[in-house]
Amino acid sequence: MKQDIRGKTALITGASAGIGKDIAIRLSNLGVNVILCARRLDALEEVKGLCAKDVNVQVYKMDLSDEKSILEVVSKLDCLDYLINNAGVAEFMPFEETPTEVFDYVYSINVRGPFILSKAVLPLLRKSSVPTIINVGSVVSNIAYEEEVAYCSSKHALLGMSKVMAKELIKEDIRVHI
């Protein structure tokens, strides 16, 4: 049986381009209210213009490497059904040449940000009839490529975090997928 998602609300990170942009447009066309989050407001406004006109589209600047930025956006929300942790960054360089700062930055966006955001929206998801968290992984969540130590290991970490979240949150009927 297909679930009717019209009127539900989804928060999408990394909604200014790529997969996040496509998710936002497609969900809005299915009647889902969308909360678009990314670092570039100008790009988010462009995506907003591409979304369906008969749904509520909110735009927020959010920097996933900054906990304060995440919590500030969440404090403005009153309902949420779907969290789509889509934002991600990648840096490609040999292991030995990867600076610690680059490694830390990739983890701050790909793992730490989704961790903080997922925890912050739990009170909103607990009010939903279809509470769902989707963490966007990658083929490198399961395999490794050379010169991708930061990206690859961060997606492995996201996979592990998603598995733990799924086991713990299913007790409250909150679904977690990757």
Side-chain angles (χ1 to χ4, degrees), residues 3-171:
Q3 186 180 55
D4 184 9
I5 61 175
R6 287 175 295 177
K8 300 298 183 192
T9 301
L11 185 154
I12 305 135
T13 65
S16 61
I19 294 170
K21 174 182 174 181
D22 291 344
I23 291 169
I25 294 167
R26 177 165 280 216
L27 285 177
S28 75
N29 287 330
L30 292 172
V32 176
N33 301 310
V34 290
I35 303 164
L36 311 178
C37 297
R39 291 177 290 185
R40 293 182 30 233
L41 275 176
D42 59 329
L44 287 174
E45 288 295 339
E46 287 180 29
V47 175
K48 180 178 181 177
L50 298 172
C51 288
K53 305 303 179 218
D54 60 341
V55 299
N56 182 16
V57 180
Q58 300 174 55
V59 172
Y60 293 106
K61 182 176 182 175
M62 180 189 287
D63 180 352
L64 284 174
S65 69
D66 178 6
E67 184 170 8
K68 182 179 175 187
S69 173
I70 295 168
L71 300 178
E72 188 176 299
V73 171
V74 173
S75 73
K76 297 174 183 177
L77 306 179
D78 57 2
C79 70
L80 188 66
D81 300 292
Y82 309 108
L83 169 61
I84 303 171
N85 283 311
N86 167 71
V89 295
E91 295 289 340
F92 305 110
M93 58 191 74
F95 164 72
E96 189 175 16
E97 296 172 20
T98 302
T100 302
E101 298 79 26
V102 168
F103 189 87
D104 289 345
Y105 178 69
V106 171
Y107 265 72
S108 73
I109 302 298
N110 296 359
V111 184
R112 186 175 180 272
F115 169 78
I116 293 166
L117 181 55
S118 296
K119 282 180 41 176
V121 301
L122 281 178
L124 296 169
L125 289 175
R126 287 182 175 119
K127 298 177 194 175
S128 171
S129 62
V130 291
T132 305
I133 298 172
I134 299 172
N135 294 321
V136 177
S138 165
V139 66
V140 300
S141 297
N142 295 299
I143 60 174
Y145 291 122
E146 291 180 29
E147 300 189 0
E148 295 187 20
V149 68
Y151 180 68
C152 181
S153 63
S154 74
K155 290 299 183 173
H156 272 72
L158 185 66
L159 174 61
M161 183 175 78
S162 299
K163 288 178 178 181
V164 172
M165 290 168 60
K167 284 182 177 259
E168 291 183 11
L169 295 176
I170 195 63
K171 297 168 189 168

